Amino acid sequence: MVEINSVLQEGRKFPPPTAFAAAARLGDPAEYERLYRRSLDEPEAFWAEVAAELHWFEPWQAVREWSHPHVRWFVGGRTNLAYNCLDRHLTAGRRTKAALIWEGEPGETRTLTYLELHREVCRFANVLKSHGISAGDRVAIYMGMVPELAVAVLACARIGATHSVIFGGFSPNAIVDRVNDAQAKVVVTCDGGWRRGRIVPLKDNVDEALERCPTVAHVFVLKRTQQHVHMKEGRDHWWSDSMDQVSHDCPAEPLDAEHPLYILYTSGTTGKPKGVVHTTGGYMVGTYLTTKYVFDLREDDVYWCTADVGWVTGHSYVLYGPLANGATVLMYEGAPNHPDVDRFWAMIDRWQVSVFYTAPTAIRAFVRWGEEHPKKHDLSSLRLLGTVGEPINPEAWMWYRRVIGGDRCPIVDTWWQTETGAIMISPLPGVTPTTPGSATKPFFGVDADVVRRDGTSCGPDEGGFLVLKQPWPSMLRTVWGDDERYRQQYWSQIPPFYFAGDGARRDADGNFWIMGRIDDVINVAGHRLGTMEIESALVSHPAVAEAAVVPRPDELKGSGIVAFVTLEGGRRPTDGLVDELRDHVSKEIGAIARPDQIRFTDALPKTRSGKIMRRLLADVAANRELRGDTTTLEDLSVLQQLREADEG
Ligand code: WT7
């Protein structure tokens, strides 16, 4: 872990607008203070009250059992998240309310009421059951952003099948790793998906992957793009045929609160992706409450989170959190610049979106595309804006506020992780004054601190490690199949606290400023990529001997990827090889990991124990002065060489 220096200076402050605060679910700072204190002082009573707002088939016997580093919430309770997202609303006056409003990239639209979504989910749950799937089995879902993706996810939750959603932008190799690690019995996919006017060949990718996935017995294929795909007899089934053969009567399974709801793979530092495990009851309560207060949801909101369901943001804040609250969720299939760069603004206007949640990387693209595009549309329906995924630079925040929010909408900058399941640090829009670039204050029940390596608290504005000191309901329970990795990765670096790798500082007002990852993970456009995975992909190419991957600041994506590569003897660096290597990484991991730059070198800077010094390479890649200690470097001339290559 490297030392963390804080460089950002920011003084602009925005109190909650008076009109917003007056109508907000939480608009009184004293009431907020009381609730926050109670959530920390009496967490069990606090969370029990929240959980009681939801449906349980059996009550819990204990709210929390904490045996470091394992926690159980609502012990002995039985519930069902799909029931709480659907059935609960059918008797609460939301039967005909729009649950999902969907827009396909080519422009078609579909609306599913809570009643309709409930029926589809019950049907697909019966499809899974009739193919032998039951509680505890794993189902991999590799689809585009279509309503049936929501249906598939909720159908799994309904019968207790643990879902593993695989981002539709991933390559066959990524599918193989994830399906095999989870030992999935079923894959749900589409013939293809629309992305920027082109078809992503989802089914072809599945076919290629399944040659190496022995556990998969059934594949369900939704027709979306209608091109020809190969259907393997006995294994592959059309979604619509299967749906026609079952009834829509499927009672929700009463599941143990700690039943594994899903596995979601996230990059670690050691190459192999980690299967983050979330369970049922605590995750439900955490996503429900954060959605309610952070997004200040009201009955008539049209809520749009632009994340893909392939990432945790899509799990928690496209599906589970908003649906548990009975919200109307807008879901969009495609790219923000198709057919034109004003697609999002046209959609906000068309659907009268009131709450909009997106990522800094998207906001930076909007800034670059120009404010004339949002200005063409009426965005006055918006009342609240959110951001997530990486630190937002203050100028992008200010642009978002002015151009999209009309200087009227509060912005919630929400810090959390795949592992935390739900938002951990964020303003509550009716009570928290905001400052561009700060995620501000911990959410209810979140005991966050910035500490030194020895675990002692840092002073104001002192950079340190961001830790969470108490377990929270939606936290990950383990790493799938590797509990030791769970202990090591999250609980052993700054013991006894939870630490998942971010540096931060807290200012004199108690606001948190997240400073990014302190380990070798690159955050490209809000996606966390392990440098090791990219390096492994490069080294798997026959020409490559060794590779070191580092981030370089990128105005648009947050970080770009620079790969330093040494070649196998006899291979010569050529422009053709640069393209070949970049394509190779795309194929191995996905286009998101494609290096922006490949730099050939004769040697990489290493410590005596043979560890590549990425810190120095990052300085070279960013054209910075070399910082910090170089004494552990084995051969100083290597660096000299790299710099000269740069000038040449
Ligand atoms: C990492 C988690 C949480 C959903 C999306 C990413 C960074 C996330 C913020 C924010 C600064 C942020 C952190 C975190 N991050 N939100 N508001 N400000 N940094 O999920 O892939 O698990 O990545 O994203 O570095 O640790 P993820």
Side-chain angles (χ1 to χ4, degrees):
M1 291 189 261
V2 299
E3 65 173 11
I4 303 162
N5 299 306
S6 173
V7 289
L8 193 67
Q9 301 273 337
E10 175 62 56
R12 289 169 286 200
K13 268 222 178 318
F14 298 91
T18 318
F20 189 100
R25 280 185 177 270
L26 247 181
D28 173 11
E31 169 70 357
Y32 161 76
E33 203 51 48
R34 188 190 69 77
L35 277 171
Y36 183 66
R37 286 279 29 119
R38 185 166 143 78
S39 74
L40 287 193
D41 297 344
E42 299 166 78
E44 301 199 4
F46 177 88
W47 287 113
E49 265 169 38
V50 178
E53 292 177 26
L54 297 160
H55 177 83
W56 294 79
F57 295 99
E58 297 279 344
W60 54 87
Q61 274 102 52
V63 178
R64 182 179 89 174
E65 261 176 33
W66 176 223
S67 161
H68 188 279
H70 292 113
V71 75
R72 301 202 294 156
W73 284 89
F74 310 109
V75 181
R78 290 195 166 263
T79 186
N80 186 293
L81 190 37
Y83 184 98
N84 276 290
C85 287
L86 301 168
D87 309 48
R88 198 168 73 87
H89 307 307
L90 301 184
T91 51
R94 299 191 182 111
R95 188 192 267 277
T96 55
K97 177 177 178 173
L100 281 185
I101 300 175
W102 174 80
E103 225 182 89
E105 195 186 69
E108 66 273 64
T109 67
R110 248 173 94 188
T111 299
L112 283 103
T113 63
Y114 272 95
L115 182 69
E116 290 168 323
L117 183 59
H118 176 261
R119 290 213 166 170
E120 295 291 299
V121 168
C122 289
R123 284 199 119 94
F124 195 65
N126 278 333
V127 167
L128 291 172
K129 282 208 275 192
S130 67
H131 287 80
I133 299 303
S134 60
D137 289 334
R138 272 81 59 205
V139 170
I141 302 176
Y142 178 73
M143 301 172 87
M145 283 284 283
V146 290
E148 288 80 1
L149 167 57
V151 171
V153 164
L154 290 162
C156 289
R158 191 165 193 87
I159 63 172
T162 301
H163 59 76
S164 165
V165 180
I166 303 172
F167 173 53
F170 278 142
S171 66
N173 285 334
I175 304 174
V176 172
D177 289 348
R178 287 158 176 77
V179 164
N180 286 344
D181 188 74
Q183 306 229 296
K185 286 191 183 169
V186 163
V187 176
V188 188
T189 190
C190 304
D191 50 358
W194 287 110
R195 187 77 192 174
R196 221 159 273 132
R198 304 226 313 254
I199 290 175
V200 181
L202 297 168
K203 177 62 165 64
D204 293 351
N205 290 346
V206 167
D207 288 343
E208 189 181 328
L210 292 197
E211 285 167 23
R212 287 175 283 155
C213 298
T215 58
V216 175
H218 296 286
V219 178
F220 297 97
V221 188
L222 176 82
K223 274 193 189 148
R224 167 65 187 129
T225 44
Q226 317 289 342
Q227 85 280 20
H228 176 78
V229 293
H230 174 71
M231 295 292 280
K232 185 168 168 180
E233 186 68 37
R235 185 194 71 180
D236 298 353
H237 317 276
W238 291 112
W239 172 285
S240 60
D241 294 349
S242 310
M243 293 285 266
D244 286 346
Q245 286 160 23
V246 293
S247 87
H248 61 249
D249 180 23
C250 178
E253 195 76 33
L255 298 167
D256 189 274
E258 286 299 330
H259 185 77
L261 173 69
Y262 68 81
I263 306 170
L264 185 59
Y265 287 84
T266 178
S267 295
T269 47
T270 63
K272 188 170 169 263
K274 299 187 285 274
V276 167
V277 176
H278 282 293
T279 58
T280 303
Y283 177 83
M284 169 173 84
V285 171
T287 53
Y288 166 75
L289 193 72
T290 47
T291 308
K292 176 170 163 178
Y293 282 128
V294 174
F295 299 113
D296 186 49
L297 275 191
R298 287 194 219 150
E299 202 55 54
D300 59 354
D301 273 317
V302 176
Y303 165 94
W304 185 17
C305 166
T306 66
D308 194 290
V309 173
W311 309 105
V312 73
T313 309
H315 284 63
S316 299
Y317 298 111
V318 175
L319 298 181
Y320 288 124
L323 295 177
N325 278 279
T328 293
V329 174
L330 178 62
M331 184 175 181
Y332 170 55
E333 177 182 38
N337 54 355
H338 189 88
D340 222 322
V341 294
D342 66 343
R343 179 66 183 259
F344 278 13
W345 322 125
M347 286 180 62
I348 289 174
D349 190 351
R350 182 153 48 246
W351 299 109
Q352 295 287 287
V353 172
S354 50
V355 179
F356 180 65
Y357 189 31
T358 195
T361 183
I363 298 168
R364 288 192 295 268
F366 303 147
V367 173
R368 204 183 58 168
W369 294 339
E371 57 188 83
E372 62 273 25
H373 303 292
K375 292 236 161 94
K376 280 184 264 182
H377 301 276
D378 178 10
L379 305 182
S380 62
S381 58
L382 288 172
R383 64 181 194 90
L384 177 61
L385 303 175
T387 136
V388 61
E390 55 186 314
I392 181 165
N393 36 312
E395 289 325 307
W397 194 100
M398 290 301 294
W399 186 95
Y400 194 31
R401 181 185 150 84
R402 178 176 59 83
V403 179
I404 307 305
D407 282 324
R408 165 188 85 248
C409 305
I411 297 179
V412 288
D413 174 355
T414 62
W415 176 86
W416 59 295
Q417 308 175 305
T418 303
E419 295 86 342
T420 68
I423 292 166
M424 295 284 106
I425 302 180
S426 169
L428 297 185
V431 291
T432 317
T434 55
T435 298
S438 171
T440 73
K441 301 280 168 66
F443 188 73
F444 297 130
V446 176
D447 190 0
D449 197 3
V450 179
V451 302
R452 307 186 183 102
R453 191 187 288 270
D454 65 4
T456 56
S457 296
C458 290
D461 289 326
E462 180 187 338
F465 304 104
L466 178 58
V467 297
L468 303 172
K469 294 182 155 178
Q470 291 291 326
W472 62 98
S474 65
M475 75 181 222
L476 81 163
R477 298 300 195 261
T478 187
V479 171
W480 182 259
D482 195 352
D483 196 58
E484 187 50 31
R485 193 162 176 203
Y486 167 74
R487 292 169 178 276
Q488 285 304 324
Q489 184 83 34
Y490 302 109
W491 300 95
S492 306
Q493 301 194 47
I494 317 268
F497 307 135
Y498 169 88
F499 175 63
D502 283 338
R505 73 185 161 90
R506 186 157 42 171
D507 67 20
D509 298 330
N511 287 315
F512 284 77
W513 298 78
I514 316 298
M515 286 150 42
R517 318 267 326 153
I518 57 119
D519 56 15
D520 288 326
V521 168
I522 305 185
N523 194 325
V524 181
H527 304 318
R528 222 198 309 175
L529 301 171
T531 55
M532 273 298 300
E533 273 191 294
I534 307 172
E535 291 166 6
S536 311
L538 282 163
V539 174
S540 73
H541 187 282
V544 176
E546 197 170 34
V549 165
V550 296
R552 118 183 134 180
D554 182 294
E555 209 190 310
L556 211 56
K557 296 187 288 185
S559 296
I561 299 173
V562 178
F564 291 87
V565 167
T566 61
L567 293 177
E568 291 286 348
R571 297 296 299 239
R572 295 191 42 78
T574 60
D575 288 347
L577 186 57
V578 168
D579 293 338
E580 205 178 307
L581 293 180
R582 297 175 73 218
D583 290 347
H584 180 71
V585 174
S586 273
K587 182 165 178 300
E588 291 290 309
I589 302 176
I592 187 96
R594 189 184 177 85
D596 297 280
Q597 193 185 37
I598 304 263
R599 295 172 64 154
F600 296 109
T601 170
D602 289 334
L604 293 168
K606 291 187 186 169
T607 62
R608 289 188 175 86
S609 64
K611 279 166 85 179
I612 297 171
M613 296 183 75
R614 292 188 185 74
R615 173 170 59 87
L616 298 177
L617 289 172
D619 288 343
V620 173
N623 264 320
R624 282 189 299 253
E625 277 302 309
L626 297 184
R627 294 178 300 191
D629 187 23
T630 51
T631 53
T632 50
L633 189 67
E634 199 194 24
D635 178 2
L636 255 175
S637 70
V638 169
L639 272 184
Q640 190 55 34
Q641 224 192 73
L642 283 166
R643 299 239 106 173
E644 278 163 11
D646 188 37
E647 281 147 23

